[in-house]
């Protein structure tokens, strides 16, 4: 009994000295960062039905653009998001592609709105557009934080001597967003309401 106790203490000391605690800390940071990414993407998805409805009220014949937005949102909703997704590069790539397609569809929808003065003047549309721009900004911030958190985690589990502990506990590198696409697929849609400078995007929340 005493031998088992000392072995447990020894194992604990060895794991602590080889980065076990740091691996756990970084893993929790990745989890928290990923949750915020999903939270902001969900917020954007929740805005889309109302946005489509308002635009449809003024531009019902823009069926192609409206359909693309609706289908892109459905594709995003159809992806099963589980904790394991961050450990699967292929699943992460599929998730990123779907979100990027939705960003592109939204941008085209807002460009089309420029052709309808009455739509641009609609208070509901202006409010939704402002909320959407604010959400896109928060998505960019959340993605960047996730990218950094995964980078720190992956460095931890790949470098010596932490990599030895990682092998023992089964900690593997996690999938990440493609940094080189960050500026393209996360750029907030811009809409000019005519007669002046484009409407400024809402200020980012404090700390972001």
């Amino acid at each position: 009994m005493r031998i088992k106790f000392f072995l447990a203490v020894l194992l604990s000391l060895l794991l602590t000295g080889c980065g076990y605690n740091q691996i756990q800390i970084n893993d929790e940071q990745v989890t928290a960062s990923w949750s915020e990414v999903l939270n902001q993407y969900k917020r954007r998805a929740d805005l889309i039905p109302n946005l489509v409805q308002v635009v449809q009220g003024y531009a019902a014949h823009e069926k192609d653009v409206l359909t693309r937005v609706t289908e892109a949102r459905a594709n995003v909703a159809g992806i099963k998001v589980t904790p394991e997704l961050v450990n699967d590069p292929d699943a992460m790539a599929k998730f990123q592609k779907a979100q990027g397609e939705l960003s592109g569809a939204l941008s085209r929808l807002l460009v089309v709105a420029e052709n309808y003065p009455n739509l641009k003047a609609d208070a509901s549309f202006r409010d939704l557009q402002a909320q959407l721009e604010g959400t896109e900004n928060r998505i960019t911030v959340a993605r960047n934080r996730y990218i950094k958190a995964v980078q720190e985690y992956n460095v931890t589990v790949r470098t010596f001597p932490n990599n030895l502990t990682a092998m023992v506990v089964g900690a593997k590198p996690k999938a990440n967003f493609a940094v080189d696409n960050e500026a393209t697929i996360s750029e907030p849609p811009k809409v000019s309401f005519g007669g002046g400078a484009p409407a400024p995007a809402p200020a980012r929340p404090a700390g972001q």
Side-chain angles (χ1 to χ4, degrees):
M1 191 73 171
R2 187 173 297 177
I3 294 177
K4 290 183 178 179
F5 174 76
F6 283 120
L7 287 176
V9 172
L10 179 60
L11 180 60
S12 176
L13 290 174
L14 288 174
L15 288 176
T16 301
C18 292
Y20 176 79
N21 287 345
Q22 193 59 51
I23 291 174
Q24 302 309 310
I25 291 171
N26 289 355
D27 187 48
E28 286 299 319
Q29 185 59 49
V30 170
T31 300
S33 299
W34 177 243
S35 295
E36 183 58 19
V37 168
L38 295 181
N39 180 49
Q40 297 305 332
Y41 274 134
K42 183 179 185 303
R43 187 174 186 273
R44 178 173 72 171
D46 290 343
L47 290 171
I48 291 174
N50 288 338
L51 180 65
V52 169
Q53 185 176 13
V54 171
V55 173
Q56 193 170 28
Y58 291 90
H61 59 283
E62 299 283 358
K63 292 182 179 179
D64 183 56
V65 177
L66 291 167
T67 298
R68 287 187 182 183
V69 172
T70 302
E71 289 179 347
R73 181 182 184 275
N75 289 339
V76 166
I79 296 176
K80 186 177 181 180
V81 180
T82 65
E84 288 72 29
L85 188 149
V86 299
N87 300 316
D88 186 341
D90 291 336
M92 174 62 80
K94 182 179 179 181
F95 175 83
Q96 183 175 356
K97 182 175 182 292
Q99 294 291 355
E101 290 174 349
L102 180 53
S103 293
L106 282 170
S107 294
R108 288 189 291 273
L109 177 65
L110 295 178
V111 168
V112 165
E114 281 289 300
N115 299 323
Y116 299 89
N118 290 338
L119 171 59
K120 292 189 295 180
D122 185 281
S124 295
F125 175 77
R126 292 174 69 93
D127 178 62
L128 286 166
Q129 191 271 336
Q131 290 187 59
L132 183 61
E133 282 197 353
T135 300
E136 292 286 357
N137 287 334
R138 285 188 284 272
I139 286 173
T140 299
V141 171
R143 281 168 52 94
N144 285 336
R145 288 177 176 172
Y146 176 77
I147 288 171
K148 183 178 179 180
V150 171
Q151 181 184 33
E152 291 177 353
Y153 172 85
N154 287 347
V155 168
T156 300
V157 301
R158 284 173 171 166
T159 53
F160 182 85
N162 297 343
N163 62 328
L164 301 178
T165 303
M167 285 190 290
V168 171
V169 300
K172 299 179 180 179
K174 297 182 183 294
N176 209 342
F177 286 107
V179 182
D180 57 345
N181 292 332
E182 175 68 21
T184 301
I185 71 174
S186 288
E187 182 178 356
K190 303 296 182 184
V191 173
S192 171
F193 290 102
R204 294 180 180 177
Q208 296 187 351

